[in-house]
Amino acid sequence: MGRLLDSVDLTTYRAARPETSSNSQAFSGRMYDVDPDTGFFPSQPLRPLSGEFSLWERGLVDARGVLKLGVDRGQEAFAKCALGEQWRQRLRSWPVVDARKLGDKVRTLRRAHYVLTCLLHFYVHSLPSSQVQGQIIIPRPLAVPLVAVSQKLMLPPILTFADIVLWNWEFIDPEQPLSLNNMRYVNVFSGTETETNFYLLSAAAELKGVEMLRIIERVVNVPCPTTQSAIAAIKRDFEELVRVIDELTIIIGEASKTVHPNTFYWAARPWWNGSDAAAPWVFEGVPPSSFDLGGASAGQSSVMHALDAFLDVDHGLKQTRQPAPSAENRRSDTSFMEKMRRYMPEEHRAYLAQLQKRHVRDLVQRVPALREHYNMTVAALKKFRDIHIRIGTLFIISQAKSTPPASMGSVEVEGNESRSKGTGGNPVSTLLKAGRDATQRTLLRDE
Ligand code: HEM
């Protein structure tokens, strides 16, 4: 089914996808747009829009290299300030293109979401602070088609991880398959190598995830999992999974080799921010609605959610597990991971929901011979989150106290405290530690 997305429209696609899959049915990512070779990535890049929609594509090409962050006070930003204002004025004067004419093809709609949300973030974050008082009005030519496309795709009208990582690349050599060495990221807001390398880092994790998904699918599809031979096969799969998670941990642990923390924090990350209470975004020409407007985060990567769903990590603190959550754990946003799913493509959300219903942790509880291997896998994921906390500390918490790159001049900034908040406004350390502790509580203990 993953490969068919090129030709199918939404209605056909939704009709073909099983709403629920019983445990006796084979579980396959193909039914949920998960490609056996490229995982959550489409196997081919999304094609640019044509006809009257090429207006948006051209607007995006024009934005690159011209628009700088509104808070940027550097010389280059100053020199480009007038060009930026012209770009925004042009966008405001665009016709409101009827998004219904895009049709129903999933890939076309995804491309439209990608282009329109990139335009949205270029528009909002390049506004000079003098124009950001009270609300931020998203002009009608952008707001109306973006909301229409998002509603069709059941995605929020805002930049998501899928837009910047899964749908933002082209092949270097179209004759060769997708790999880290054969992909080029196209829309890089800040134009920095750090931003490109962050996308590549995320892509490395996504592609590692392909191996992980294969193992997960094998385990949940084992017939009669309580037989000796099945137990032996599942144990081997858990060992393989530990190896893959350890590799993921290395990938993230080495982030600072290619992603520069100070540039990441000051020049790249602000482009992905969503609406905030101080200056909420208002979509002109669209009936008022409570959209999810949190912004893009690697927390929306379906790969990590798949591991959590498979192992049954309880981020929501709904189960009684040991050790009991600390006061800090309880203060964290326990619905964060659930919310992040709302920013994922509908098909991937459905994949995770179905995977969760396979209840592998319950199976392990019934088959004590699997416990040690299951626990080894949970421990590997906990180690990943330990390292991820270190990365979050280095890239966010420490940088919130740092000075911006000299090229940005004297950036206008809020206080330290709000600057070390994660997507959704939670203090980063509280949120990441809560995830780590929820993973620790997943370990099965002796009764
Ligand atoms: C420079 C690299 C990275 C930094 C600085 C970073 C930072 C953060 C921060 C601050 C959060 C809190 C939520 C937010 O603000 O969005 C977060 C959450 C998260 N990130 Fe990362 N991240 C990085 C790379 C990655 C990669 C490559 C992955 C994918 C494997 C990933 C997976 C996640 C997940 C799944 C969450 C949700 C919380 C959790 O599972 O513990 N991150 N990250």
Side-chain angles (χ1 to χ4, degrees):
M1 179 63 87
R3 287 169 203 284
L4 291 180
L5 266 183
D6 237 348
S7 51
V8 294
D9 61 34
L10 273 173
T11 325
T12 319
Y13 192 77
R14 284 178 184 144
R17 191 184 66 214
E19 275 314 307
T20 52
S21 72
S22 81
N23 283 10
S24 55
Q25 267 176 299
F27 177 77
S28 163
R30 278 176 177 273
M31 289 184 283
Y32 304 94
D33 176 40
V34 184
D35 187 284
D37 300 318
T38 59
F40 296 108
F41 276 114
S43 57
Q44 295 289 320
L46 304 181
R47 273 193 296 274
L49 304 170
S50 55
E52 56 192 313
F53 307 104
S54 50
L55 176 74
W56 304 336
E57 297 273 356
R58 278 198 308 275
L60 186 53
V61 171
D62 292 346
R64 292 180 203 135
V66 168
L67 293 178
K68 306 293 278 180
L69 283 170
V71 292
D72 191 332
R73 293 276 177 277
Q75 278 179 0
E76 194 191 339
F78 184 71
K80 290 182 171 167
C81 167
L83 285 174
E85 188 50 42
Q86 283 165 21
W87 182 90
R88 287 188 297 276
Q89 269 173 17
R90 272 202 307 278
L91 185 145
R92 287 192 281 261
S93 68
W94 280 355
V96 180
V97 182
D98 183 356
R100 279 175 305 189
K101 294 191 203 154
L102 280 166
D104 257 358
K105 296 272 188 290
V106 181
R107 286 173 55 94
T108 309
L109 291 166
R110 286 180 175 179
R111 175 75 190 189
H113 192 272
Y114 156 75
V115 176
L116 291 167
T117 53
C118 289
L119 288 169
L120 169 72
H121 283 243
F122 263 129
Y123 182 88
V124 171
H125 295 300
S126 68
L127 283 170
S129 45
S130 55
Q131 293 179 36
V132 184
Q133 249 103 64
Q135 300 171 330
I136 294 180
I137 308 292
I138 314 301
R140 193 181 297 258
L142 187 52
V144 171
L146 171 56
V147 170
V149 166
S150 304
Q151 283 174 340
K152 271 199 167 175
L153 286 172
M154 295 190 189
L155 276 174
I158 194 158
L159 195 75
T160 65
F161 180 83
D163 294 298
I164 52 176
V165 175
L166 302 180
W167 303 340
N168 180 22
W169 57 276
E170 59 188 19
F171 278 127
I172 295 172
D173 177 357
E175 300 302 313
Q176 299 301 316
L178 178 64
S179 72
L180 271 191
N181 297 328
N182 190 32
M183 68 193 305
R184 184 187 299 119
Y185 274 96
V186 181
N187 190 69
V188 181
F189 291 98
S190 60
T192 60
E193 245 180 78
T194 274
E195 187 180 335
T196 300
N197 288 342
F198 176 76
Y199 297 150
L200 284 169
L201 178 83
S202 307
E206 287 294 308
L207 290 173
K208 218 6 81 207
V210 177
E211 289 173 53
M212 209 174 75
L213 300 181
R214 273 191 212 128
I215 301 169
I216 287 178
E217 284 183 27
R218 260 202 320 263
V219 172
V220 298
N221 284 326
V222 167
C224 314
T226 51
T227 62
Q228 284 300 321
S229 60
I231 290 172
I234 296 175
K235 280 182 176 177
R236 279 196 300 277
D237 279 331
F238 275 132
E239 283 165 15
E240 268 293 280
L241 201 48
V242 169
R243 179 189 61 75
V244 180
I245 299 171
D246 285 348
E247 286 172 10
L248 261 179
T249 306
I250 293 172
I251 290 173
I252 195 161
E254 294 185 343
S256 58
K257 282 192 177 167
T258 55
V259 185
H260 188 265
N262 190 257
T263 312
F264 172 85
Y265 181 83
W266 291 103
R269 189 172 184 254
W271 287 106
W272 310 322
N273 283 346
S275 171
D276 72 43
W281 301 3
V282 176
F283 290 79
E284 197 178 47
V286 173
S289 187
S290 52
F291 299 120
D292 287 310
L293 294 175
S297 160
Q300 295 157 11
S301 153
S302 304
V303 160
M304 299 307 297
H305 284 252
L307 259 185
D308 283 340
F310 174 69
L311 295 170
D312 189 17
V313 177
D314 174 30
H315 290 284
L317 304 185
K318 290 179 183 141
Q319 315 285 330
T320 309
R321 291 184 182 169
Q322 297 304 322
S326 66
E328 191 190 11
N329 288 164
R330 291 193 180 283
R331 269 201 307 279
S332 124
D333 179 358
T334 52
S335 61
F336 179 79
M337 292 303 265
E338 210 177 301
K339 279 192 257 177
M340 289 297 100
R341 288 206 192 176
R342 305 208 292 255
Y343 294 80
M344 294 176 191
E346 176 198 355
E347 300 74 15
H348 301 168
R349 235 181 289 152
Y351 173 87
L352 296 172
Q354 290 308 317
L355 180 56
Q356 207 143 8
K357 290 188 187 152
R358 295 294 164 143
H359 302 296
V360 168
R361 192 170 187 270
D362 292 351
L363 166 73
V364 177
Q365 276 176 311
R366 289 198 310 274
V367 186
L370 289 172
R371 176 180 295 205
E372 188 189 342
H373 281 72
Y374 170 86
N375 276 351
M376 271 167 22
T377 316
V378 173
L381 181 57
K382 192 233 165 216
K383 195 169 100 201
F384 170 89
R385 288 206 156 100
D386 280 330
I387 301 297
H388 188 248
I389 291 172
R390 244 195 264 163
I391 294 295
T393 307
L394 172 65
F395 280 77
I396 315 283
I397 299 170
S398 305
Q399 300 309 316
K401 298 173 204 139
S402 74
T403 48
S407 60
M408 291 179 77
S410 52
V411 169
E412 284 176 46
V413 289
E414 301 164 76
N416 273 351
E417 202 193 318
S418 61
R419 287 193 276 130
S420 56
K421 296 249 169 87
T423 308
N426 251 239
V428 164
S429 61
T430 308
L431 184 73
L432 298 183
K433 281 184 196 157
R436 188 262 323 266
D437 296 347
T439 311
Q440 175 76 12
R441 276 193 293 279
T442 313
L443 287 172
L444 287 168
R445 289 155 205 279
D446 294 331
E447 312 285 284

